Amino acid sequence: MLKLTTYTGADQIHGVAQCHSLGPSKPNPTFPRRKDGISLVPCTSAPSKTPVLAVVSDRGAGSVRSETGPGRVEHSVSLADRLRQGSLAEDGKSYKECFIVRCYEVGINKTATVETIANLLQEVGCNHAQVVGFSTDGFATTTTMRKMHLIWVTARMHIEIYKYPAWSDVVEIETWCQGEGRIGTRRDWIMKDYATGQVIGRATSKWVMMNQDTRRLQKVSDDVREEHLVFAPRELRLAFPEPNNSSLRKIAKLEDPAPYSRLGLVPRRADLDMNQHVNNVAYIGWVLESMPQEIIDGYELQTITLDYRRECQRDDIVDSLTNVEPLEDGPAISGLEGTNGSPAATEDTKDYCQFLHLLRLSGDASEINRGRTVWREKPAR
């Protein structure tokens, strides 16, 4: 994967602005340095061709004025928008962004953790929402949603990782959203190694609408759907187009007693998101807490699917339960040759194992989350 060196230039902001200059790209560019000392590299997406006029303060500290369109209409663009390494596709129906894996985002395998991957997926999704003009004070809320105090909450998340990026690797993530029946929406992602263009992961998710005051689910109105789907692909586009792919599999409820458990997990304040409930990425960590240590030592997570049954609050106490699930219907997988970079199926299941998971409230055993994970044997290093 692409490795980056440290740039010692003094003027970081000026350097990044040069990265977005007009005209054809120059060979052997000097990449500007982020605040953490790691050089930035532009995505394959074309940089903005809007000239920066001046730094102004009408959108708070760090915003810029720009001119766009044939009439050269002036408007404000945040400094974060200028420095962010991402942009909409030419048709405006998807969004791509590049990320550098930082040292604190890798785990015991010296590669990015699954929580890091999930956080990057969430970040690129939120950035996509900001770029198309949705709210910045919540997760992709439209004008009608804000008037009615509505928010999006995750109903299902499915992530497949075929190759984990390491520290300083650059990943490019593309995302787009689409309708999902009358009660929700979906968001898909494709993750690539920026240096090679190889697909190293895919993900899909389903979201439903909830009233922020009553905490009850609500159908997606025509007004919200119209506001939201104007930025969706005109034709159905799926990160997992294969028939009977693993993202569609139902998850059976894990019954007690479970052979592996971790009881009494408590949400940290840092686990709460802008909507005042436990962020969906925190559930991944709780699920993994009850995995047997021999699996953690000898295998790496390839697939995780989570069904969110109820939201978790700050004062809740959570139990994590895990049990082995037979692989007879599971996606024994190897290679990287299918549609959208999907792995080719194989009949050899000896290097894979599969588990069912349950997160529940400790007090009344109410179901919070159901999960399934598929693990592959760690590659020799």
Side-chain angles (χ1 to χ4, degrees), residues 2 22 33 50 81 125 133 196 198 201 207:
L2 183 63
L22 298 178
R33 180 165 60 98
T50 305
D81 290 335
T196 65
Q198 179 188 41
W207 300 71

Side-chain angles (χ1 to χ4, degrees), residues 69-374:
R72 298 177 67 82
V73 178
E74 186 178 290
H75 69 283
S76 296
V77 179
S78 73
L79 187 58
D81 290 335
R82 286 294 182 181
L83 304 186
R84 187 176 289 128
Q85 300 296 298
S87 64
L88 289 171
E90 290 186 5
D91 63 1
K93 304 303 184 182
S94 70
Y95 174 83
K96 289 183 181 180
E97 187 168 351
C98 290
F99 299 92
I100 304 170
V101 178
R102 298 164 176 164
C103 63
Y104 56 83
E105 295 174 324
V106 303
I108 59 175
N109 297 329
K110 300 181 180 179
T111 56
T113 64
V114 65
E115 291 96 331
T116 292
I117 300 298
N119 277 319
L120 291 179
L121 299 179
Q122 182 169 272
E123 174 71 7
V124 74
C126 289
N127 290 346
H128 179 206
Q130 288 192 33
V131 166
V132 299
F134 290 155
S135 172
T136 59
D137 59 359
F139 292 141
T141 54
T142 68
T143 301
T144 302
M145 290 178 66
R146 293 193 293 278
K147 288 180 180 178
M148 300 177 65
H149 296 186
L150 301 174
I151 58 175
W152 294 112
V153 294
T154 314
R156 168 171 270 223
M157 188 77 183
H158 178 85
I159 304 173
E160 294 186 8
I161 305 171
Y162 313 130
K163 183 180 180 182
Y164 280 87
W167 175 26
S168 293
D169 286 345
V170 180
V171 296
E172 179 188 76
I173 303 176
E174 181 183 14
T175 187
W176 62 95
C177 58
Q178 295 174 116
E180 182 71 17
R182 295 292 301 173
I183 62 172
T185 185
R186 67 179 294 142
R187 178 173 288 278
D188 286 21
W189 297 265
I190 293 178
M191 184 169 63
K192 295 182 179 180
D193 176 350
Y194 177 77
T196 65
Q198 179 188 41
V199 173
I200 59 175
R202 296 182 294 168
T204 186
S205 61
K206 296 181 180 180
W207 300 71
V208 293
M209 191 173 292
M210 184 175 75
N211 186 289
Q212 196 167 14
D213 300 324
T214 66
R215 315 308 285 185
R216 293 183 178 275
L217 298 183
Q218 187 164 326
K219 288 186 177 181
V220 180
S221 68
D222 291 337
D223 290 340
V224 171
R225 189 177 303 278
E226 186 173 318
E227 291 173 330
H228 190 261
L229 296 185
V230 68
F231 301 104
R234 296 184 182 275
E235 297 182 2
L236 184 64
R237 182 188 177 193
L238 303 175
F240 297 93
E242 304 89 348
N244 302 318
N245 68 79
S246 60
S247 73
L248 303 175
R249 298 178 63 206
K250 292 183 178 180
I251 303 176
K253 183 178 179 180
L254 177 60
E255 300 295 340
D256 240 353
Y260 310 104
S261 63
R262 183 71 181 272
L263 309 180
L265 298 170
V266 180
R268 304 172 305 160
R269 291 188 176 94
D271 292 329
L272 302 181
D273 61 22
M274 291 183 283
N275 292 328
Q276 299 301 312
H277 58 206
V278 173
N279 187 278
N280 60 74
V281 177
Y283 296 95
I284 296 177
W286 288 345
V287 163
L288 300 183
E289 280 296 310
S290 58
M291 282 296 300
Q293 188 61 44
E294 59 268 25
I295 300 299
I296 300 296
D297 292 340
Y299 291 75
E300 64 182 6
L301 181 64
Q302 174 170 286
T303 302
I304 182 167
T305 310
L306 297 177
D307 283 341
Y308 297 86
R309 300 284 171 160
R310 58 168 293 167
E311 63 177 337
C312 188
Q313 305 289 348
R314 179 187 62 190
D315 298 324
D316 289 335
I317 301 175
V318 178
D319 294 339
S320 175
L321 309 178
T322 293
N323 198 359
V324 177
E325 183 182 31
L327 260 175
E328 55 184 358
D329 295 322
I333 296 171
S334 68
L336 285 166
E337 300 299 335
T339 305
N340 278 347
S342 60
T346 175
E347 296 180 357
D348 184 6
T349 62
K350 65 181 180 181
D351 294 330
Y352 291 83
C353 51
Q354 186 169 275
F355 293 85
L356 284 177
H357 306 275
L358 174 68
L359 296 180
R360 68 183 186 189
L361 292 178
S362 292
D364 60 6
S366 295
E367 189 177 11
I368 300 173
N369 189 295
R370 293 184 189 183
R372 172 183 290 114
T373 57
V374 179

Side-chain angles (χ1 to χ4, degrees), residues 50-56 64-67 72-75 82:
T50 305
V52 177
L53 298 183
V55 175
V56 295
V64 297
R65 294 171 61 191
S66 62
E67 295 179 354
R72 298 177 67 82
V73 178
E74 186 178 290
H75 69 283
R82 286 294 182 181

